[in-house]
Amino acid sequence: MPSFDISRCRFRLADEHVIVLSELAAGDEVPDEFAVARKELLDRGLIDEDGKLSPLLLPLMKTVLNPGVVISLEAAGRQGKLHHGMLIGEAHVVAHEAWPGVTEAEYSCVEPKMLVWKLADMVNLQQSSAGGDTALSVVETTVSTVEAGLAVLEGEGFVRSADDEREAIRRALAADGSLGEPALTLVADLISELRSSWRLTSAWQAHHEGQDGVETRGFAVWDCGPLGYWLRELPTEPVPAERITPTSTFRLVRVDAKTIWTRITGLLPDEGELGHAESRRPRQG
């Protein structure tokens, strides 16, 4: 069920609720398949009988319908995959955050000056998480080798303890013979300690050499808890999934929290890029 918190300008909405609100905000008819979602919004007072949106929703929906910059966060961990993100509009910034096992995501308005801090919080960036020493600061293998190790975390086979899990990961990584020591031990340890792997991407409309198009930036990180943060240099982001093959090179590089903060900041277009993108947006009314 949808819900809201006036004190913090936040809403809990499922995808179906957002679709209904978008259709109503655009003055369009809501398809019959979303009748239940519409009724839930009505019952919560977020729309009225005529489909008019509550004033509480206006900053959120104006941004959802016409964002200047879209930032997507895809995170994977032992509880599955979650999709978060941020929409940056002309007047407002809206963040949306999912929760494991729940269909509704939390949508909240963010002070524009705080958006980098919000993104850092969404990836659980910890300044104090220096991590322990490791034998290597760079490790390289193939996508198929890493996927074999990660498959152990996804429940392939019965693992009774942390030691059993680590040994199962090690065997999976060693199966194709592409990893030798000390890289084999390191990758097994990284996967065993993996809290989450996530990627952040940003996109906005741009104009380059007389052509309109979409500009994108991105990067991916492994958060390995006591073993620190590891930037996934290869495959580089943003990269279409179809361009990644089992034999593609997979490279991780140890980084600190400051480097990740700098990368997050670098996702945002500079004032010239953003200003130009905004000037090309169609005017409303």
Side-chain angles (χ1 to χ4, degrees):
M1 287 290 289
S3 57
F4 60 93
D5 176 5
I6 299 177
S7 65
R8 292 179 58 187
C9 191
R10 56 181 180 167
F11 304 82
R12 289 178 63 86
L13 303 167
D15 290 345
E16 293 80 4
H17 301 131
V18 177
I19 291 172
V20 171
L21 292 171
S22 297
E23 295 287 355
L24 293 174
D28 298 328
E29 291 292 327
V30 176
D32 292 340
E33 61 190 287
F34 298 108
V36 173
R38 177 172 181 154
K39 178 67 163 53
E40 291 173 343
L41 291 166
L42 177 63
D43 291 343
R44 290 297 188 183
L46 291 173
I47 62 173
D48 63 17
E49 292 284 355
D50 297 325
K52 184 178 180 180
L53 274 60
S54 166
L56 297 172
L57 284 165
L58 295 182
L60 185 150
M61 292 312 301
K62 284 181 179 178
T63 308
V64 168
L65 290 174
N66 193 27
V69 181
V70 177
I71 299 176
S72 300
L73 167 59
E74 300 175 43
R78 293 174 185 262
Q79 290 182 292
K81 295 182 179 180
L82 294 173
H83 296 270
H84 316 292
M86 184 175 287
L87 306 170
I88 304 174
E90 293 187 17
H92 304 282
V93 176
V94 171
H96 58 91
E97 300 174 79
W99 187 271
V102 178
T103 58
E104 293 88 0
E106 180 178 294
Y107 288 77
S108 60
C109 291
V110 179
E111 167 61 36
K113 292 182 179 179
M114 300 296 292
L115 67 87
V116 175
W117 279 264
K118 181 64 176 178
L119 288 170
D121 180 66
M122 290 167 71
V123 300
N124 193 33
L125 184 62
Q126 302 291 315
Q127 182 64 44
S128 60
S129 180
D133 292 332
T134 58
L136 301 171
S137 59
V138 180
V139 64
E140 187 171 300
T141 181
T142 64
V143 167
S144 61
T145 299
V146 171
E147 287 182 342
L150 292 173
V152 177
L153 303 184
E154 297 171 358
E156 295 189 7
F158 180 67
V159 178
R160 291 174 295 181
S161 69
D163 288 339
D164 288 340
E165 179 183 80
R166 191 182 299 268
E167 182 56 32
I169 293 169
R170 183 184 175 86
R171 288 197 302 269
L173 293 171
D176 64 5
S178 64
L179 273 175
E181 294 295 353
L184 176 59
T185 294
L186 175 58
V187 178
D189 289 344
L190 292 178
I191 293 177
S192 297
E193 298 291 349
L194 187 63
R195 291 179 179 173
S196 69
S197 59
W198 51 263
R199 62 175 186 167
L200 270 169
T201 56
S202 61
W204 64 93
Q205 290 292 329
H207 189 73
H208 181 66
E209 295 182 351
Q211 298 292 324
D212 290 327
V214 177
E215 192 75 25
T216 60
R217 293 176 187 159
F219 69 102
V221 168
W222 278 24
D223 178 353
C224 296
L227 297 182
Y229 296 113
W230 294 75
L231 178 70
R232 196 193 77 200
E233 279 195 344
L234 294 173
T236 188
E237 290 290 345
V239 58
E242 59 270 17
R243 291 181 55 187
I244 301 176
T245 69
T247 59
S248 295
T249 302
F250 189 98
R251 182 192 300 148
L252 293 173
V253 178
R254 179 105 182 243
V255 296
D256 57 14
K258 182 179 179 180
T259 298
I260 296 177
W261 176 273
T262 301
R263 288 280 189 139
I264 293 174
T265 304
L267 286 175
L268 304 173
D270 61 33
E271 292 184 3
E273 292 173 305
L274 185 58
H276 192 72
E278 288 178 346
S279 71
R280 298 189 64 82
R281 271 185 233 151
R283 296 184 178 276
Q284 301 298 310

